[in-house]
């Protein structure tokens, strides 16, 4: 296969669906967690769940970087944005996530704060160069996929002596979250579909610990519907055989050791935090990165003496349970009623990788929620 249309071929999809139906043992249930929010959206956009037999189900995991950031860290971003002379640069999704008292960066911008949406950290660097008399802070979020560009930007800022640029670092780590789910959350899941873009950086090797320790298959998959379906079939075959291995369906991108150059840059600029709070998971050890002392001059947490305080989610919002895989978006009383993309209560309805946004965007649950509200 060379072109994206081939990964969405209907005849191939029906063939995979038939193979899954043949191999799924009707005497048991298969519960497969897709860790990444990108997979969740692929499943709902292309109706992958509808092609599965009744005893094969997908569980949505915490692989949405916007969703897992706790309210306290968004409060910190708001505090930065409201400081005199600061330009806060952020990815678009983060602008709409509600913080304490339902405020957001978008509302702060409407009230006069200089908050700017950027498409990459390079945009933030350019803004800092163009505004030498202003403090420019990049609100860095994301898993291992977006961490290398932030590391490169910090190296660039140091090399240029760009003293008005800093990073508010909120990069988090996939394996630590997976370990927490399997140990602290008592997760009732048979197998995992591993994230694709994250794995292109870290490789498949880190997942070997989970197959050996917890005896759960992990199949790394691409984002197209045929990728997800083939990964599900591979996971079912492992479960039928009593195996627990790391398999790489996404061989066109992912290797066992990942991107060694990107990993080296990240290790140069960042080190692990002892603990970091995740929405839905609580404090997770060794699950996030902070800026090393060699780059401390560009660390917004140190430059602005940031102190993070925990803050509760909105009342009745089930984002925490959804991110743990304990509930689905339709289990939330607010879904489609008090919480919609136009007026989100929780982060899972905001992000392009959020589970609630996936349920809403592709229609089937949106109409049901609207009829119940009426």
């Amino acid at each position: 296969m060379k072109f994206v249309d081939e990964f969405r071929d209907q005849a191939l999809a029906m063939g995979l669906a038939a193979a899954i139906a043949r191999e799924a043992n009707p005497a048991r249930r298969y519960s497969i967690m897709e860790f990444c929010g990108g997979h969740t959206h692929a499943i709902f956009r292309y109706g992958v769940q509808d092609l599965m037999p009744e005893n094969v189900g997908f569980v949505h995991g915490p692989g949405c970087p916007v969703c897992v950031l706790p309210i306290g860290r968004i409060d910190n971003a708001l505090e930065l944005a409201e400081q005199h002379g600061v330009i806060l640069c952020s990815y678009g999704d983060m602008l709409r996530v509600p913080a304490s008292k339902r405020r957001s960066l978008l509302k702060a911008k409407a009230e006069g704060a200089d908050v700017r949406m950027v498409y990459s950290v390079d945009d933030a660097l350019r803004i800092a160069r163009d505004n030498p008399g202003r403090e420019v802070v990049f609100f860095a979020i994301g898993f291992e996929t977006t961490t290398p560009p932030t590391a490169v930007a910090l190296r660039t800022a140091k090399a240029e002596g760009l003293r008005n640029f800093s990073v508010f670092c909120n990069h988090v780590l996939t394996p630590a979250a997976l370990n927490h789910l399997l140990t602290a959350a008592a997760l009732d899941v048979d197998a995992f579909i591993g994230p694709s873009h994250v794995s292109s950086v870290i490789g498949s090797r880190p997942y070997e610990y989970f197959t050996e320790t917890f005896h759960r298959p992990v199949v790394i998959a691409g984002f197209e519907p045929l990728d997800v379906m083939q990964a599900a079939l591979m996971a079912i075959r492992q479960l039928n055989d009593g195996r627990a291995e790391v398999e790489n369906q996404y061989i066109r991108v992912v290797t066992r050791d990942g991107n060694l150059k990107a990993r080296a840059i990240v290790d140069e600029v960042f080190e692990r935090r002892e603990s970091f709070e995740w929405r839905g998971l609580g404090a997770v050890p060794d699950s996030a990165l902070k800026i090393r002392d060699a780059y401390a001059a560009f660390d917004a947490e140190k430059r602005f003496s940031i102190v993070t305080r925990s803050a509760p989610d909105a009342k009745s919002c089930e984002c925490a349970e959804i991110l743990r895989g304990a509930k689905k978006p339709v289990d939330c009383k607010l879904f489609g009623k008090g919480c919609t993309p136009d007026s989100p209560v929780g982060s899972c309805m905001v992000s392009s990788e959020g589970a609630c946004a996936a349920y809403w965007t592709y229609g089937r649950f949106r109409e049901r929620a609207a009829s119940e509200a009426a």
Side-chain angles (χ1 to χ4, degrees), residues 27-348:
R28 65 164 297 175
R29 180 159 184 81
Y30 300 84
S31 180
I32 303 172
M33 173 176 275
E34 79 280 0
F35 185 94
C36 182
H39 287 138
T40 303
H41 277 254
I43 288 166
F44 282 92
R45 179 181 181 184
Y46 298 103
V48 172
Q49 180 66 76
D50 295 340
L51 298 175
M52 297 293 110
E54 289 187 3
N55 61 330
V56 176
F58 294 105
V59 179
H60 319 310
C64 164
V66 172
C67 304
V68 300
L69 198 63
I71 287 177
R73 300 294 282 187
I74 305 169
D75 286 341
N76 290 149
L78 279 164
E79 292 164 6
L80 284 168
E82 291 167 346
Q83 290 204 32
H84 177 72
V86 169
I87 300 172
L88 185 79
C89 298
S90 171
Y91 295 130
D93 280 351
M94 285 307 308
L95 298 183
R96 297 174 53 242
V97 178
S100 295
K101 300 179 181 178
R102 297 288 301 272
R103 294 195 72 234
S104 67
L105 287 169
L106 197 61
K107 288 182 179 179
K109 179 178 176 66
E111 293 166 0
D114 197 344
V115 178
R116 305 188 189 185
M117 186 185 77
V118 295
Y119 292 99
S120 74
V121 66
D122 287 343
D123 291 341
L125 282 172
R126 175 184 52 77
I127 291 169
R129 295 186 191 105
D130 293 345
N131 296 271
R134 304 279 301 278
E135 286 283 349
V136 177
V137 181
F138 175 63
F139 187 10
I141 68 159
F143 292 97
E144 290 89 345
T145 311
T146 55
T147 307
T150 305
V152 171
L154 284 164
R155 290 209 312 184
T156 301
K158 185 176 182 180
E160 293 182 9
L162 200 60
R163 300 189 182 280
N164 66 325
F165 175 81
S166 60
V167 169
F168 178 39
C169 181
N170 295 275
H171 287 299
V172 290
L173 304 172
T174 302
L178 187 56
N179 184 66
H180 185 83
L181 283 171
L182 287 166
T183 54
L187 190 65
D188 185 20
V189 166
D190 300 310
F192 292 89
I193 294 179
S196 49
H197 293 163
V198 164
S199 301
S200 70
V201 176
I202 68 173
S204 64
R205 189 192 295 270
Y207 306 108
E208 294 171 8
Y209 167 80
F210 302 105
T211 58
E212 295 165 1
T213 304
F214 300 101
H215 205 69
R216 301 303 214 312
V218 177
V219 182
I220 298 164
F223 278 134
E224 294 302 323
L226 296 190
D227 290 324
V228 177
M229 293 182 71
Q230 186 177 27
L233 178 59
M234 293 163 74
I236 288 168
R237 285 173 173 167
Q238 282 202 51
L239 292 167
N240 288 346
D241 295 343
R243 294 181 290 119
E245 302 169 2
V246 177
E247 289 191 285
N248 182 14
Q249 183 274 340
Y250 201 33
I251 56 173
R252 61 189 186 273
V253 173
V254 175
T255 63
R256 187 164 183 248
D257 291 316
N259 187 324
L260 296 177
K261 184 175 181 180
R263 288 171 54 193
I265 293 170
V266 169
D267 288 342
E268 174 195 328
V269 176
F270 296 107
E271 60 185 341
R272 294 198 177 201
R273 297 177 188 264
E274 290 185 5
S275 182
F276 190 80
E277 182 186 353
W278 293 52
R279 190 192 300 255
L281 303 185
V284 182
D286 298 319
S287 65
L289 298 174
K290 62 180 180 179
I291 298 170
R292 288 188 183 274
D293 287 343
Y295 292 85
F298 305 95
D299 186 345
E301 289 189 66
K302 294 180 178 178
R303 182 176 294 190
F304 295 94
S305 302
I306 292 173
V307 177
T308 303
R309 298 175 180 84
S310 292
D313 285 344
K315 189 176 181 180
S316 300
C317 176
E318 302 283 10
C319 271
E321 288 77 8
I322 292 166
L323 289 166
R324 289 197 299 270
K327 291 186 177 181
K328 294 184 181 296
V330 289
D331 297 326
C332 180
K333 294 177 182 178
L334 298 178
F335 177 80
K337 304 177 183 71
C339 182
T340 66
D342 290 335
S343 182
V345 175
S347 58
C348 297

